[in-house]
Every structure is written in C-alpha cells, then in structure tokens.
Amino acid sequence: MRLHGDVSDDEEEGAVMDPALLSSSSPPAGAAAAAASRLVVGYALTKKKVKSFLQPKLLLLARKKGISFIPIDETRPLSEQGPFDIILHKKTSKEWQRFLEDYHEVHPEVTVLDPPNAIEHLNNRQSMLEEVADLNLSSFYEEVCTPRQLVIMKDPSSIPTAVAMAGLTLPLVAKPLVVDGTSKSHELSLAYDEASLPMLDPPLVLQEFVNHGGILFKVYIIGEAIQVVRRFSLPDVNTYDLLNNVGIYRLPRVSCAAASADHADLDPRIAELPPRPLLEKLGRELRGRLGLRLFNIDMIRELGANDRYYIIDINYFPAEGKINVSSRHISARVGQFNIVQVGVSSPLPKVGLAGG
Ligand SMILES: O=P(O)(O)O[C@H]1[C@H](O)[C@@H](OP(=O)(O)O)[C@H](OP(=O)(O)O)[C@@H](OP(=O)(O)O)[C@H]1O
Ligand SMILES: Nc1ncnc2c1ncn2[C@@H]1O[C@H](COP(=O)(O)OP(=O)(O)O)[C@@H](O)[C@H]1O
Ligand SMILES: [Mg+2]
Ligand SMILES: [Mg+2]
C-alpha cells in the first residue's frame, strides 16, 4: 500500500545505505538483529531524512546500547512487521496517520515518536505558534512571544485592507500557511510596501518582521535534552531600506542554508544565547502543550530589547545533523526508553550572510 501525499522516496536523490545492514556483522538480517536487541525502533522516514539522521556513527552507537533501527515497509501492514518498542517517523499523509493510529490501537505498548495528531499542529504556521501565546513564563524576567501575524486564506486583493485593519507594521514576512515537508512550504517572501501585498499568493501567514541582529537561535528539544545553536539569519531592515524598497522579495532558505554562527565574531549582545533556565522551561512547557518530544524552535531576540524573544517557527523532528559543534552529544530520553547518546561530527557548509 503506497501511502500517497508523502514526499515520496522516489523523488529523493541518491542511494541510501540501509541501516539494517549495520545492525549486525553478518549479512543483513533485520529480524535477527532485532531479536538480539534490547530495544527495536521501527522507522518511517524519507531517504533524505535517513541519510541526515541515521548516520553510521549513530547506528553503531545505538547497536552498542542494544538498540536497532529497522526500516518500516509501508507497503505491508505494520502488524506483520516488528515487533517494535518505538516507532520513529516523519510522514505527513492522512493514510500514514490512519495506518499508524490503527496499529497503535492494537499495540498501545509501542511508543510512537511522535503521535501524528500532535505533529499535525506543526504543519500549519498559525496553529504551530498558538501554544506560545499561553506559555506560563511569569517567573522569568525575559518575555517570549510570537510576532504579530495575520492568516490570509484567499483573495490577495483583500490583503492591504486586512493588514491595515490588523494594524500590522511593514515589512512583513509572507510564509506559506501549510508546512508539508516540500520545498514550496519554505518559500518565504518579504513585503516592503502595502501596494505590493496583492501580489502575494494565499493561503499564507503574514508576520511582522522583527529586527534581531541577523542571528537566529535554533533550540533543539529531544526528550528532556536541549541543544541550542546560533545560525546566521536575515539582516535587519532599517528605515532607509523601508523608504527605498518596494515590492515582494523572495527569501533564500535561510534556516537550512544558514551556516553556523557559533564561532563567528559577533556582538555579544546579539550572540549571547538565551538563558538556559528559560530554554529548559520553554522545553518543558512546549513538550507538554504540544505533546511532542522531538522538535526544534526558531527563536530570535529583538534588537535592542535584550529580554524579549520571539518564537517564529517550530519544526517537527528537524535536521539534528546540522547542529554545529565539532562533535555533538544529544541524549534523547523518551518515556522510559533512553534511545541513544549521539556523538556525530557534523561540519557545517560555509555560506555567506543570507538575505543579501
Ligand atoms: O523549517 P526550518 O527551520 O528550515 O528547518 C528545517 C525543517 O525542520 C525541515 O523539515 P520540514 O521541511 O518538514 O519543515 C527539515 O527537513 P527534513 O526534516 O526533511 O530534514 C530541514 O532539515 P534539512 O533540510 O536537512 O536542513 C530543517 O532545516
Ligand atoms: N518574523 C520574522 N522576523 C525576522 N526574521 C524572520 C521572521 N520570520 C522568519 N524570519 C527569518 O526567516 C527564516 C525562515 O523563517 P521560518 O519561519 O523559520 O521558516 P522555515 O520553516 O522555512 O524555516 C528564519 O530562520 C529567520 O531567519
Ligand atoms: Mg525555520
Ligand atoms: Mg520550519
């Protein structure tokens, strides 16, 4: 049963080493490897994700801990595969969601990472940020909010009036409303003037651009573990830019392409990481509210307001492989399982400051 609507594997480039080949020294024997394991993780991921996440070092380390990763065959019933202790997935189609929920009804003892109905919240740029508004951070000096934004479902000609009614301030970042793993869902634009707004293509979210010194914090939350890295972001927009630019500007894939800024020579007021206790509280709150254990938060600090942070994006099961340190350790604890301690060297591609 080929599940439609996913970013199908056939579209992905490149051959991928089947991790099951690594789970035993003898010829590939997923079942035998699984039988010898303390913990069996079935996974349903695109080839791109397998390549970026299930790196050989992770698999060998997991194997030492008695953990094996077994690919799920989406053309066969899940109940005929396994048995699994954990199912790890990043698939968005409705068929897959039903497939997994039916299986989990029969096998409630299997940990699903993460429940599809929880992941669904992050597939929409409005619902993904709704929980942020209700965060209880009263015991913190810092403020964490989201930029003011407006959802436009259709009728581009209505955008200028809607923006004026909402009192949004230009420039505005236009983002596709739906996030579905395709590159189209990452096609962002920057709108400088009201007259250009009808050129946008709904459904979209229009979000006020917040100057933040060109540095973004990517906060990875994996179970109770938290890892934060700096990335180059879009440059600030000043009054001169606003007065001398009109139109809609397509933005590059900043968060994917951005190189690490962890070792860049930056103004400490811009580069200083958010306070650890704040990130830990954010992690706890959002894990509980979103019902997720594998996600990351894109966070910026308002330029000149050292204690005001904005969460602008939340991603499910993002590319941990881009966490930049010469080697990184993430300990992921899920429920009663301690999945893996990951030590992987992951040099980052060097790119210039994005955004031009
Ligand atoms: O949204 P931003 O902040 O850009 O972060 C993206 C999203 O998490 C992507 O997932 P999605 O497309 O589902 O939102 C993810 O693609 P994968 O999950 O396919 O890896 C990218 O990984 P890389 O493309 O490997 O960088 C990661 O950089
Ligand atoms: N409201 C905003 N203010 C300032 N910069 C923003 C804003 N929204 C997005 N950006 C910049 O654009 C990048 C991509 O936006 P994001 O919402 O993370 O989309 P994606 O899901 O494609 O990563 C961010 O990493 C940040 O650099
Ligand atoms: Mg992002
Ligand atoms: Mg995103």
Side-chain angles (χ1 to χ4, degrees):
M1 150 193 5
R2 160 58 59 199
L3 299 171
H4 306 295
D6 281 329
V7 179
S8 83
D9 286 353
D10 306 330
E11 293 156 26
E12 298 295 334
E13 295 302 318
V16 176
M17 170 174 37
D18 181 341
L21 295 177
L22 283 158
S23 52
S24 63
S25 51
S26 59
S37 296
R38 181 172 66 82
L39 201 69
V40 179
V41 180
Y43 64 86
L45 302 169
T46 61
K47 279 184 183 165
K48 172 194 167 211
K49 198 72 178 168
V50 169
K51 207 171 181 178
S52 69
F53 181 69
L54 289 177
Q55 296 178 18
K57 277 190 176 178
L58 166 63
L59 295 167
L60 291 180
L61 198 60
R63 186 175 139 211
K64 283 180 192 156
K65 285 176 164 273
I67 299 169
S68 61
F69 286 86
I70 306 294
I72 287 171
D73 178 349
E74 295 173 40
T75 62
R76 287 173 44 225
L78 265 174
S79 49
E80 289 173 15
Q81 305 178 57
F84 302 115
D85 298 295
I86 293 176
I87 288 185
L88 175 67
H89 72 108
K90 184 171 183 180
K91 293 276 179 176
T92 53
S93 70
K94 283 296 174 200
E95 286 95 333
W96 169 255
Q97 180 165 344
R98 209 169 23 258
F99 188 54
L100 194 48
E101 284 165 351
D102 292 352
Y103 170 78
H104 199 230
E105 261 177 39
V106 177
H107 295 279
E109 75 285 359
V110 175
T111 296
V112 174
L113 260 182
D114 273 310
N117 60 347
I119 299 172
E120 215 170 16
H121 250 90
L122 301 190
N123 295 339
N124 174 299
R125 292 187 189 270
Q126 179 182 34
S127 57
M128 73 161 67
L129 298 180
E130 280 169 345
E131 292 299 345
V132 177
D134 302 334
L135 288 174
N136 171 13
L137 302 173
S138 52
S139 59
F140 287 85
Y141 178 70
E142 296 81 11
E143 181 190 351
V144 177
C145 46
T146 58
R148 292 199 306 160
Q149 66 179 35
L150 181 63
V151 171
I152 305 284
M153 292 306 291
K154 55 186 180 180
D155 186 11
S157 63
S158 69
I159 298 178
T161 306
V163 164
M165 298 273 285
L168 294 190
T169 309
L170 289 162
L172 296 171
V173 187
K175 309 180 183 184
L177 183 62
V178 173
V179 177
D180 57 7
T182 60
S183 52
K184 184 165 176 42
S185 62
H186 294 285
E187 289 178 359
L188 275 56
S189 315
L190 193 63
Y192 278 102
D193 66 306
E194 196 173 298
S196 305
L197 293 173
M199 290 194 291
L200 292 169
D201 181 18
L204 51 84
V205 167
L206 277 175
Q207 203 178 73
E208 286 184 335
F209 183 90
V210 177
N211 281 338
H212 55 286
I215 291 295
L216 165 90
F217 304 111
K218 268 193 175 293
V219 184
Y220 292 86
I221 293 161
I222 303 175
E224 292 160 11
I226 290 184
Q227 188 92 5
V228 55
V229 296
R230 292 182 197 87
R231 291 288 172 79
F232 284 118
S233 178
L234 296 173
D236 293 333
V237 176
N238 58 38
T239 314
Y240 177 84
D241 299 323
L242 261 181
L243 294 174
N244 291 280
N245 281 291
V246 291
I248 306 288
Y249 288 71
R250 247 316 270 292
L251 296 172
R253 268 302 299 269
V254 181
S255 51
C256 259
S260 159
D262 279 335
H263 304 296
D265 180 16
L266 299 164
D267 176 339
R269 289 167 303 175
I270 289 173
E272 185 186 4
L273 293 177
R276 188 81 195 174
L278 177 68
L279 295 180
E280 285 168 356
K281 173 72 171 174
L282 263 181
R284 278 195 305 278
E285 284 269 324
L286 286 175
R287 266 204 319 274
R289 289 168 179 274
L290 296 171
L292 294 172
R293 288 163 286 195
L294 274 183
F295 59 98
N296 93 303
I297 308 168
D298 284 355
M299 206 164 152
I300 56 180
R301 179 171 47 228
E302 184 174 352
L303 190 69
N306 274 359
D307 51 20
R308 184 174 307 124
Y309 294 90
Y310 289 89
I311 294 179
I312 55 175
D313 182 25
I314 305 179
N315 299 295
Y316 176 63
F317 193 177
E320 290 81 4
K322 299 221 171 149
I323 294 180
N324 172 59
V325 285
S326 53
S327 74
R328 65 172 168 76
H329 286 275
I330 295 182
S331 71
R333 185 186 310 281
V334 170
Q336 71 278 31
F337 298 122
N338 178 353
I339 289 193
V340 290
Q341 182 95 16
V342 175
V344 172
S345 69
S346 55
L348 268 181
K350 291 290 167 224
V351 291
L353 188 54

